[in-house]
Structure formats: C-alpha cells, structure tokens
Amino acid sequence: MFTAQLSRFFAKAPTQVLSLIAVSVLAHVTMSGGRVAASLFALRHGGSEAMAGIAYSLYGLLPALLSLHMGRWIDRVGPRLVMRLSLIAMICGLALPVLWLNLPVILLTATLGGFGFGSYMLAANVCVSYMDFEQESERVGMIGWLQLGNSVSSVVGPSLVGLLIDFSGFRAAFGGLALIVLGSFLTSYRVHLPDGKRERARAPRGDASVVRMVFSSPQLLRIYILAMTVSMAWDGFNFMVPVLGQARGYSATVIGMVLSAFAIGTFAIRAALPWLSRRMPEWRQLSLAFALTASVFFLLPLARSSVLLATLGFIFGLAAGAGQPNILSLIYRAMPDGKAGEGAGLRSMMGNLMGLTGPSVYGAVSTLFGAVPVFLIIACVMSVSSWQAQRGAHHSLQAG
C-alpha cells in the first residue's frame, strides 16, 4: 500500500518533483562540502579553531539576517529567477579560491555561498506553494521529498570534499564544487520549474507585512513559535549529544553512531511523508512529533548504553524530520497570494537566528550546571509545544 501511495504521489507532479530534487541535491552538495572545506582551510593555514568556526558560521550569517528580504524578493520576481541567480552567486563564490587561495577569500566564499544557498532553498521551497495537488496534504510530502534530497547530499558533500582535498588540494576542491553548482545551474534550464509570472501578477501591493500579520494572528504566531522550537530541538540535539558523550567518556565512534542514527531517522520519515500526510493532518503530526521529542530529551540523560542512545537518536530523527515540512505547509496554507516567499523567509530567519544563538546558550548553561538541565529544559519546551500543536489542531477544526 505504501508503494501504491508513492506511485500516486509522483503521478500528480512527477516532472516538478524530480526537477526540484535533482537541482537541489547538486546545490546542497556544495553547501555541505563548502563548509567542511572552508573550516579545514582555516585550520590548516594558520587559523585558530575560532577562525574555523567563523568560516563555518559565515554560511549561515546572511540567511539569518536577510531571509525575510530574500522572501520578499522571491515574491516580486518569482522563484525560478531567484534560484538561478542564487546558483550564479554560489558559482562566483566558489571560483574565487581557485584564483586566489587565501583566508580572506575563503571567508568571502563562505559569505557568498551562504547567501546563495539560503536564497536558493527559500525559492525552491516556495516553488512547492505554486504547485497544484489533488489534496492539500500532499504538499507536506513534496516538501519532505525535497528535503530528503538535502539529506542525501549532506552525506555526499563532505565525503567528496575530503577526497578532493587529500588527493588534489583545496583549489581542486573548490573548483570541483563550482563545477557541481554549474551542473545544477545548467540542469535548471533542462527541467520544468515555476516561472513566477502568474504569482507576480497576483502579488498584492501596499498591504501589511507578514511580520505584522503574524503578530496580529494568534494562530499564525503559534505556527512561527513552533517553528522556532523545531530549530531549538534540532540544534540542541546536534550540539548537546557530543557534549554529553564527552562528559561520559564515550568515543567519537559512539557519538558519531548516535548522530548517524538521528540522520537515518530524518531520512526515513521524509521518505514516508507522502504516505503519512494523506492519513494525518499537519497539526496532528506536529503534536505527535513534539511529544516524541519531549520523551527523547527526558530520556537522553538517563540512557547509559550506546545502543539506547542510538535508538533515541533514531526516534528523535523521526520526530524532527517531520517538523519542518509540516510547518512550511501550514505557513503556505495561511499566507495570502503573493506572500509565500516572505512567509517562508520569516520562518528561515527565525530558525537561523535560533541556530546562531542556541548553541551558545546551551554551552553556557552546560558549563555552569552540566548537560542534564539543558536536556530537561528542551524537553519541557517540547512538551508545551505538543500541547500548543494540539490546540492548533482544535482551532483549525473550529475554523473549518
């Protein structure tokens, strides 16, 4: 039955689904690989660990600050143009170290790459809001499959960059990544993507911003706050599991196994979202996902075996992997015509800001009081989030 549901899903918009996944996988390979290459270059060429962290973080700096403006840009000119211009920005950034290989150029590459990829993924996700589906719930499955491609490329990118650096050096690594983005850019001309003309014609003028809409609507505000808690739990797990493992003397292999189990869980749930979304509405999925997340964070400090830790990591992966697609689907459904990009941009900005500030807070609390309070705080927040998602479901039924 699961296979039959997937077949029906791809029968709805096979060209658009495969087009977005194909172009996005190639683009995301360079993002995941570029971060590794930039931080390694900083470490190996006189930079400190702090400088390596700066090089890594610059990929997320501009998206954290400019995602809302990126979303408005997408609403004005359409997603296809933004996707292609973003790929050009990434190509230019990656080509710079091939010509001038030094630390300032690497930092510029990270900044351009982060801006290009952030605007690209926003536009790719907005494409989903313009696609027609027989049932609105199928949009969640489409978003899940788009992010499934990103999960695959997150594994391929760092491995590919590592091989290129070891065998041919950093110039070849950045040059290879630039060629991959060029392949993504050329592929975008060979596949069907929304052109945005219809959306530009519908875009409202002079109306309230999405920020004002969100803070004037309790239901919309609930969606965006829950989006921040998804990012909070995701970053909390990836940051605190190594901290917990280090405190307990676990090997890097064990810590890596737990994080890999989490990645497998996100992959599995995103693969199943086309089937799951036809049986469970977004709010219900979020309520269940947050409840699972709360349970995992309550149990993580108590888990003493590597197998149990990996099992909890996999369960959290199932919960976390379902969060963002359902949040985006609710946002697209709530946004008026011509505001999908701005709505997604606001979500991206809030998530990136949480990603920039959250680990610092977790580290400070962990230094003062140990790792356990961090896990318990996140567990309590996710418990409240599950209750809020249930309230959202009740409100949605009343409104319907």
Side-chain angles (χ1 to χ4, degrees):
M1 181 175 293
F2 176 66
T3 304
Q5 291 292 344
L6 285 182
S7 299
R8 282 197 292 269
F9 175 76
F10 276 106
K12 307 300 180 185
T15 304
Q16 292 176 323
V17 171
L18 297 177
S19 299
L20 277 174
I21 291 177
V23 178
S24 300
V25 165
L26 293 174
H28 195 273
V29 163
T30 62
M31 174 67 170
S32 56
R35 274 181 156 166
V36 173
S39 56
L40 280 178
F41 182 87
L43 287 171
R44 294 186 183 181
H45 293 81
S48 63
E49 288 82 357
M51 184 58 67
I54 291 173
Y56 188 95
S57 299
L58 280 175
Y59 276 89
L61 177 61
L62 289 184
L65 299 176
L66 301 177
S67 288
L68 185 60
H69 298 288
M70 291 179 189
R72 290 170 180 164
W73 179 35
I74 293 167
D75 288 332
R76 286 197 303 270
V77 303
R80 188 172 67 182
L81 177 61
V82 173
M83 290 169 73
R84 289 173 178 164
L85 291 176
S86 300
L87 292 172
I88 291 173
M90 294 174 69
I91 293 170
C92 293
L94 290 166
L96 289 175
V98 180
L99 302 174
W100 305 283
L101 188 60
N102 54 62
L103 187 56
V105 170
I106 292 297
L107 297 180
L108 179 59
T109 293
T111 304
L112 284 174
F115 174 79
F117 184 77
S119 56
Y120 171 84
M121 282 309 300
L122 267 180
N125 279 309
V126 171
C127 279
V128 179
S129 73
Y130 297 151
M131 292 182 183
D132 295 322
F133 295 92
E134 183 178 319
Q135 296 183 23
E136 185 64 26
S137 60
E138 293 175 349
R139 199 173 309 279
V140 181
M142 171 59 202
I143 298 172
W145 273 89
L146 179 60
Q147 295 176 359
L148 183 65
N150 292 348
S151 298
V152 174
S153 56
S154 293
V155 177
V156 175
S159 301
L160 176 63
V161 161
L163 289 173
L164 288 172
I165 291 174
D166 288 340
F167 286 97
S168 302
F170 282 94
R171 289 183 189 273
F174 284 105
L177 294 176
L179 289 175
I180 291 174
V181 184
L182 179 61
S184 179
F185 178 75
L186 296 176
T187 302
S188 72
Y189 282 92
R190 304 291 298 177
V191 298
H192 176 69
L193 299 172
D195 60 13
K197 292 179 180 178
R198 177 171 59 89
E199 291 75 27
R200 287 200 303 272
R202 296 187 307 163
R205 298 177 180 270
D207 54 345
S209 69
V210 164
V211 175
R212 185 174 301 174
M213 290 170 52
V214 167
F215 284 95
S216 63
S217 167
Q219 187 74 338
L220 261 180
L221 183 60
R222 178 182 287 114
I223 294 172
Y224 279 91
I225 290 177
L226 293 181
M228 293 185 70
T229 65
V230 171
S231 298
M232 174 187 181
W234 190 294
D235 294 325
F237 182 86
N238 283 289
F239 182 81
M240 290 304 302
V241 164
V243 172
L244 181 67
Q246 181 70 22
R248 293 181 176 176
Y250 293 145
S251 67
T253 301
V254 171
I255 295 172
M257 181 185 67
V258 175
L259 295 176
S260 295
F262 163 71
I264 293 171
T266 62
F267 185 95
I269 193 63
R270 286 170 176 173
L273 274 177
W275 172 82
L276 183 62
S277 63
R278 298 178 67 92
R279 287 161 172 76
M280 190 180 297
E282 294 99 327
W283 284 113
R284 180 58 179 161
Q285 286 189 55
L286 287 173
S287 179
L288 179 59
F290 291 146
L292 281 175
T293 299
S295 301
V296 166
F297 276 85
F298 274 125
L299 293 174
L300 277 171
L302 304 177
R304 294 291 175 178
S305 73
S306 59
V307 174
L308 182 54
L309 278 172
T311 301
L312 290 173
F314 176 79
I315 294 172
F316 175 59
L318 294 176
Q324 185 173 328
N326 283 283
I327 289 288
L328 284 171
S329 179
L330 289 171
I331 289 174
Y332 294 146
R333 187 179 298 182
M335 288 296 111
D337 288 346
K339 289 288 186 179
E342 189 176 351
L346 178 61
R347 188 218 62 83
S348 178
M349 184 184 72
M350 295 170 72
N352 279 297
L353 287 174
M354 180 64 69
L356 286 174
T357 59
S360 300
V361 175
Y362 302 149
V365 173
S366 181
T367 299
L368 293 173
F369 306 107
V372 174
V374 178
F375 286 102
L376 295 180
I377 290 170
I378 296 175
C380 291
V381 171
M382 299 314 293
S383 297
V384 175
S385 298
S386 178
W387 167 59
Q388 283 296 315
Q390 194 61 41
R391 289 192 63 185
H394 180 68
H395 183 275
S396 181
L397 286 175
Q398 286 185 330

